[in-house]
């Protein structure tokens, strides 16, 4: 734990809380609680949009995925931003004209249907919770290197702070918190990118903290009649393991066990590349790289350029590079970057997980294909197309983004704040490519959790930048979680209790109900944040987008553009969209891995549902609307 | 009252124009976005081609999609502002905001 990091962190959290309490005094009415009284200036709201949107998924998840899978992480940046075009051109102004506090109000404005109130409240709750999971996971990963606390403490800490913020303040304070945080995130990301470009590229990166980078060692091994002979006689052959077609060789040196990846196998000669590993012994002891796991003995950070544009000397340094030169050098076909893969197998009674480097050509790193196999099977191509569809359509269907339209005074202000958001978010997303690639080549990537790549990249430039960036990332999580909990509590208290059940609450009771709902949703988010530890947060957000696009977008679009839409059609579409998206996700290979089952046994071979669930939702809406159009609950034109 | 939409501004006489304009601007962007997805699905190797400033097609197209979104948003806003001014000028003062 570093004192500077801790102090910076505490100052930030105190600032955020102080601000919240200050604005809390203004949130006396339900309009103030849910929609900031509709009086936020569009420019402030625009940057707050960016603050809301640039969540843990953007800063931690995208940078982490770029650091480990190259361009495939940047696909999220492109998709998330492109989604704003749908929000601006199709949804922004009409939603503002139709709604009052929540997304449900807008959907229901023309029907006053209890079915819509219930369905939309449930879908808002489901999407918000899906979006909350990655934010809480992000909170957990942040506090470990920053404060030396375990993952679950971070999750609980964020949950507790946010419940306090939301339960006391509501939308006005979350808006100003998001404004400040969104602005600072962009400013400090610019500083980090300038630092990356000024340092340039090197085959011997400096991960900071005074610890030199250790590139993976290479040995050659030949099979002789008397047994395996190694090029370094200090090592002795101790065994071999095969897994999924890969061969791993176990060596010992002074009694310490190490695992090596067998890279090339000639007639009687093999090249061995040093891997890293964790093992759990039959007695339950955890081993890391041959010694018992401890806070001092963890997996070493990885990520380096093996050869830069064909130059493979031990220390090639470019010095400062321009933004285009940085990308073109990394993307050069003669550049090789060590990316790490993982394999699990049993060695005797030990469960071993080996991490081993694969040098990947620069031109492969800077185009899609390392995570989403666009060159692969039809199923893999469908998965890619489905993700891109979800990202494109998801933004305009996210409840916590949609409610921000109700914090400005007019549709014009909604439009202008969206444009400010596009400028701020687009600029930030361009920076993510530099931060991600900076981490990938900077020797800072954590093998067990890629989510911390950007803050750890900052640490390689000194503790101060690390502390500030981590604190902003933490505030990012706080802000996004606040926004989500406001949206979710609005769904429960306003849409469900007040409108659906028709309890006829007073204004004061509504705010109280919202706060109780916020507390409950916060607790659920804490539990899920602990359960989903270790998954890439952007990948998790991709799921939230899929559910949102499937549940909400067909209803919004058809309500605005198809006069024959009926309330029954909207209810059926929301229900089918939510259920089909959830089913596909829950039966996907990624969730099977989470359940502890074999990925290959998952009944659905891909994890991104949008390409199936969005058409199902549209189709359901059209069919049910046509079947119920004579029942007198038709859409009236605006 | 709480059950009404916040539609004090629903009298916006430029609403229909802005809605149609939005759809017409959305279509070309969606086509460019779909083009990006399609190239990756059909011939991903094309994405490695160097196109401008030493950047490959993947990076240039990705940056392009982000910049295009902002440019189109600004154009859309300008057309909306012109229309709003034109409509408000031609209407009685009580409808002005």
């Amino acid at each position: 734990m570093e004192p500077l990091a801790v102090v910076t962190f505490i100052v930030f959290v105190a600032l955020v809380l102080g601000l919240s309490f200050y604005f809390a005094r203004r949130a006396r009415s339900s309009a103030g609680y849910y929609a900031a009284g509709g009086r936020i200036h569009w420019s402030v709201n625009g940057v707050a949009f960016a603050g809301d949107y640039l969540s843990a998924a953007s800063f931690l998840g995208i940078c982490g995925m770029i650091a480990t899978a190259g361009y495939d992480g940047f696909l999220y940046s492109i998709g998330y931003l492109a989604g704003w075009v749908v929000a601006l051109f199709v949804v922004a102004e009409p939603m503002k004209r139709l709604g009052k506090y929540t997304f449900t109000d807008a959907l229901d404005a023309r029907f006053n249907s209890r079915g819509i109130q219930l369905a939309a409240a449930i879908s808002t709750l489901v999407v918000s919770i899906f979006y909350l999971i990655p934010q809480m996971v992000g909170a957990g990963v942040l506090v470990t290197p920053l404060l030396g606390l375990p993952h679950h403490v971070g999750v609980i800490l964020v949950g507790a702070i946010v419940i306090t913020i939301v339960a006391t303040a509501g939308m006005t304070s979350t808006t100003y918190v998001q404004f400040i945080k969104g602005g600072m995130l962009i400013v400090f990301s610019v500083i980090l990118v300038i630092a990356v470009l000024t340092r340039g590229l090197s085959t011997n990166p400096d991960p900071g903290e005074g610890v030199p980078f250790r590139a993976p060692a290479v040995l050659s091994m030949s099979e002789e009649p008397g047994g395996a002979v190694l090029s370094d006689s200090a090592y002795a052959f101790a065994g071999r393991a095969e897994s999924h077609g890969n061969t791993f060789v176990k060596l010992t040196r002074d009694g310490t066990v190490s695992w090596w990846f067998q890279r090339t196998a000639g007639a009687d000669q093999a090249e061995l590349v040093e891997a890293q590993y964790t093992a759990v012994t039959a007695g339950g002891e955890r081993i890391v790289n041959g010694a018992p796991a401890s806070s001092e003995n963890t997996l070493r950070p990885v990520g380096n350029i093996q050869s830069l544009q064909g130059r493979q000397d031990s220390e090639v340094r470019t010095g400062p590079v321009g933004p285009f030169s940085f990308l073109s050098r990394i993307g050069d076909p003669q550049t090789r970057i060590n990316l790490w893969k993982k394999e699990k197998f049993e060695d005797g009674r030990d469960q071993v997980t080996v991490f081993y480097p694969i040098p990947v050509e620069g031109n492969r790193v800077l185009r899609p294909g390392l995570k989403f196999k666009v060159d692969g099977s039809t199923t893999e191509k469908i998965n890619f197309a489905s993700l891109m569809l979800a990202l494109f359509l998801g933004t305009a269907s996210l409840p916590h983004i949609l409610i921000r339209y109700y914090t400005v005074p007019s549709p014009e202000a909604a439009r202008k704040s969206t444009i400010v958001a596009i400028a701020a978010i687009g600029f930030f997303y361009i920076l993510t490519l530099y931060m991600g690639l900076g981490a990938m080549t900077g020797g800072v990537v954590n093998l067990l959790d890629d989510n911390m790549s950007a803050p750890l990249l900052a640490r390689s430039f000194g503790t101060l930048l690390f502390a500030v960036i981590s604190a902003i990332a933490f505030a990012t999580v706080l802000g996004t979680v606040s926004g989500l909990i406001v949206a979710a509590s609005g769904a429960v208290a306003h849409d469900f209790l007040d409108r659906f059940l028709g309890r006829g609450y007073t204004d004061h009771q509504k705010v109280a109900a919202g706060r109780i709902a916020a507390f409950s949703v916060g607790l659920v988010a804490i539990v899920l944040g602990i359960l989903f530890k270790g998954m890439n947060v952007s990948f998790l957000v991709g799921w939230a987008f899929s559910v949102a696009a499937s549940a909400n977008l067909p209803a919004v679009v058809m309500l605005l553009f198809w006069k024959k839409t009926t309330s029954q059609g909207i209810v059926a579409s929301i229900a089918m969209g939510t259920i089909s998206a959830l089913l596909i996700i829950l039966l996907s290979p990624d969730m099977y891995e989470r359940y502890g089952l074999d990925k290959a046994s998952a009944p659905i071979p891909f994890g991104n549902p949008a390409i199936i669930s969005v058409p199902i939702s549209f189709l359901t809406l059209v069919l049910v609307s046509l079947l119920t159009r004579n029942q007198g609950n038709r859409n009236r034109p605006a | 009252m709480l059950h009404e939409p916040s539609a004090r501004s629903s009298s916006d006489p430029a609403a229909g124009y802005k809605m149609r304009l939005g759809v017409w601007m959305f279509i070309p962007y969606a086509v460019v976005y779909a083009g990006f997805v399609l190239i990756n699905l059909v011939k991903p190797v094309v994405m490695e081609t160097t196109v401008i400033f030493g950047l490959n097609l993947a990076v240039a197209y990705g940056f392009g999609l982000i910049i295009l979104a902002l440019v189109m948003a600004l154009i859309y806003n300008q057309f909306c502002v012109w229309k709003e001014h034109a409509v408000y000028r031609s209407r009685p003062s009580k409808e002005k905001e």
Side-chain angles (χ1 to χ4, degrees):
Chain A
M1 199 183 331
E2 294 155 28
L4 182 63
V6 177
V7 170
T8 312
F9 172 80
I10 291 171
V11 167
F12 258 78
V13 175
L15 196 79
V16 169
L17 282 177
L19 206 66
S20 294
F21 291 132
Y22 172 73
F23 287 112
R25 286 182 291 157
R26 300 186 180 186
R28 291 280 151 80
S29 67
S30 57
Y33 182 75
Y34 295 120
R39 291 182 195 285
I40 304 277
H41 190 265
W42 57 265
S43 60
V44 172
N45 203 51
V47 179
F49 255 137
D52 257 335
Y53 201 67
L54 299 177
S55 64
S58 296
F59 184 59
L60 303 178
I62 291 179
C63 294
M65 204 183 284
I66 294 172
T68 52
Y71 191 89
D72 282 354
F74 191 57
L75 287 173
Y76 282 89
S77 292
I78 296 168
Y80 287 153
L81 195 275
W84 280 94
V85 170
V86 186
L88 174 68
F89 290 161
V90 185
V91 173
E93 288 203 36
M95 284 298 287
K96 172 65 187 168
R97 273 194 294 276
L98 291 173
K100 186 173 178 66
Y101 297 144
T102 63
F103 159 70
T104 308
D105 287 336
L107 267 192
D108 193 34
R110 293 184 186 154
F111 298 110
N112 200 17
S113 146
R114 284 162 59 81
I116 290 184
Q117 289 156 17
L118 182 65
I122 291 173
S123 90
T124 299
L125 202 59
V126 170
V127 174
S128 299
I129 287 177
F130 256 88
Y131 213 104
L132 274 168
I133 299 171
Q135 311 305 324
M136 300 308 259
V137 171
V141 300
L142 272 169
V143 295
T144 307
L146 186 72
L147 304 177
L149 300 169
H151 178 91
H152 67 272
V153 176
V155 176
I156 294 170
L157 200 64
V158 164
I161 295 172
V162 165
I163 289 171
T164 313
I165 292 175
V166 176
T168 52
M171 202 62 185
T172 310
S173 78
T174 47
T175 299
Y176 282 99
V177 168
Q178 292 296 46
F179 169 74
I180 293 170
K181 183 224 86 186
M184 289 192 75
L185 182 63
I186 293 169
V187 168
F188 277 89
S189 296
V190 169
I191 292 172
L192 184 55
V193 169
I194 291 172
V196 166
L197 295 177
T198 308
R199 182 163 71 183
L201 296 162
S202 164
T203 51
N204 186 20
D206 175 14
E209 300 283 284
V211 182
F213 180 76
R214 187 173 140 190
V218 178
L219 290 175
S220 65
M221 182 176 78
S222 53
E223 300 288 347
E224 305 283 336
V229 175
L230 296 151
S231 56
D232 183 344
S233 58
Y235 288 95
F237 180 84
R240 204 185 293 265
E242 303 276 340
S243 181
H244 294 103
N246 295 312
T247 305
F248 299 93
V249 175
K250 184 179 175 182
L251 304 180
T252 56
R253 177 178 180 163
D254 303 329
T256 304
V257 173
S258 55
W259 282 95
W260 299 64
F261 173 57
Q262 189 169 316
R263 201 142 66 180
T264 53
D268 54 1
Q269 183 118 22
E271 186 183 63
L272 303 183
V273 185
E274 187 185 20
Q276 298 196 56
Y277 76 99
T278 61
V280 180
T281 64
E285 192 189 5
R286 260 181 63 81
I287 304 290
V288 173
N289 292 335
S294 68
S295 55
E296 279 78 42
N297 183 38
T298 55
L299 292 169
R300 295 184 297 275
V302 300
N304 70 309
I305 298 175
Q306 193 187 67
S307 72
L308 186 63
Q309 296 178 297
R311 289 177 63 200
Q312 204 164 352
D313 336 2
S314 61
E315 196 159 334
V316 178
R317 274 188 198 283
T318 61
V321 288
F324 295 135
S325 167
F326 178 84
L327 294 175
S328 66
R329 284 168 195 258
I330 288 182
D332 191 294
Q334 298 297 314
T335 296
R336 296 283 181 280
I337 296 169
N338 273 328
L339 298 181
W340 289 66
K341 290 192 162 193
K342 181 171 88 170
E343 200 73 68
K344 289 180 179 179
F345 54 82
E346 287 184 6
D347 176 45
R349 295 174 64 195
D350 295 353
Q351 302 280 339
V352 180
T353 307
V354 167
F355 302 88
Y356 59 100
I358 300 280
V360 180
E361 298 90 342
N363 51 326
R364 293 285 290 113
V365 170
L366 271 193
R367 72 137 164 113
L370 293 180
K371 181 170 175 63
F372 302 105
K373 309 288 183 196
V374 287
D375 318 81
S377 65
T378 308
T379 312
E380 286 166 329
K381 284 175 188 275
I382 290 174
N383 195 34
F384 167 78
S386 190
L387 171 75
M388 297 310 284
L389 182 71
L391 299 182
F392 193 47
L393 301 181
T395 303
S397 337
L398 290 172
H400 75 291
I401 295 297
L402 292 175
I403 55 169
R404 195 155 285 293
Y405 286 126
Y406 308 127
T407 58
V408 288
S410 68
E412 291 84 337
R415 182 181 72 234
K416 286 178 183 166
S417 60
T418 309
I419 293 167
V420 172
I422 290 176
I425 295 167
F427 179 60
F428 175 83
Y429 279 153
I430 288 176
L431 301 179
T432 58
L433 188 60
Y434 292 92
M435 291 189 280
L437 293 174
M440 173 191 265
T441 57
V444 298
V445 177
N446 178 346
L447 281 169
L448 292 179
D449 198 334
D450 61 23
N451 290 317
M452 272 302 281
S453 300
L456 290 175
L457 172 67
R459 182 152 77 178
S460 72
F461 294 101
T463 307
L464 181 65
L465 192 58
F466 170 61
V468 174
I469 292 261
S470 297
I472 293 171
F474 197 80
T476 296
V477 174
L478 289 183
T480 310
V481 173
S482 310
L484 284 163
I485 290 185
V486 169
S489 71
V492 174
H494 174 70
D495 300 334
F496 183 72
L497 292 177
D498 185 40
R499 296 199 58 194
F500 179 72
L501 295 181
R503 289 288 164 87
Y505 287 144
T506 63
D507 219 36
H508 179 71
Q509 283 172 321
K510 261 188 223 171
V511 175
R515 287 173 179 166
I516 293 168
F519 185 77
S520 317
V521 175
L523 287 185
V524 173
I526 288 173
V527 173
L528 292 173
I530 294 169
L531 291 178
F532 280 82
K533 178 189 174 188
M535 278 186 95
N536 180 283
V537 294
S538 213
F539 184 75
L540 288 168
V541 164
W543 278 349
F545 273 62
S546 296
V547 178
S550 313
N552 300 342
L553 193 85
V556 171
V557 169
M558 297 305 263
L559 177 79
L560 296 176
F561 296 102
W562 194 46
K563 287 177 189 167
K564 291 178 182 168
T565 305
T566 64
S567 62
Q568 293 92 331
I570 289 182
V571 173
S573 152
I574 293 175
M576 283 303 289
T578 312
I579 292 167
S580 57
L582 281 178
L583 266 182
I584 295 172
I585 289 171
L586 293 174
L587 298 176
S588 69
D590 297 290
M591 278 310 286
Y592 262 55
E593 194 180 24
R594 215 51 357 212
Y595 304 144
L597 302 169
D598 183 11
K599 279 173 94 162
S601 66
I604 293 175
F606 57 92
N608 286 299
I611 207 161
I612 293 176
S613 50
V614 172
I616 285 179
S617 182
F618 266 113
L619 214 64
T620 308
L621 189 146
V622 172
L623 283 176
V624 175
S625 293
L626 290 176
L627 289 172
T628 56
R629 64 180 163 166
N630 296 324
Q631 293 177 17
N633 216 354
R634 290 262 301 271
N635 189 15
R636 296 184 301 277
Chain B
M1 168 183 169
L2 284 170
H3 290 193
E4 292 167 7
S6 68
R8 234 63 74 227
S9 45
S10 65
S11 60
D12 178 6
Y17 169 85
K18 289 187 282 187
M19 214 155 144
R20 282 191 301 278
L21 178 67
V23 173
W24 281 111
M25 294 201 72
F26 164 75
I27 292 169
Y29 191 85
V31 168
V32 176
Y33 185 82
F36 174 78
V37 177
L38 212 64
I39 294 173
N40 281 304
L41 287 176
V42 177
K43 202 152 188 172
V45 180
V46 174
M47 283 291 173
E48 295 177 12
T49 319
T50 304
V51 286
I52 188 169
F53 302 129
L55 303 179
N56 68 14
L57 182 62
V59 174
Y61 208 140
F63 284 180
L65 276 168
I66 292 174
I67 294 164
L68 181 67
L70 179 61
V71 171
M72 288 183 73
L74 290 170
I75 294 171
Y76 170 74
N77 183 55
Q78 196 51 53
F79 274 100
C80 289
V81 168
W82 282 335
K83 184 71 181 178
E84 280 158 3
H85 287 174
V87 169
Y88 291 149
R89 268 201 304 271
S90 66
R91 289 181 68 91
S93 59
K94 67 175 179 150
E95 297 224 7
K96 289 182 184 172
E97 286 194 69

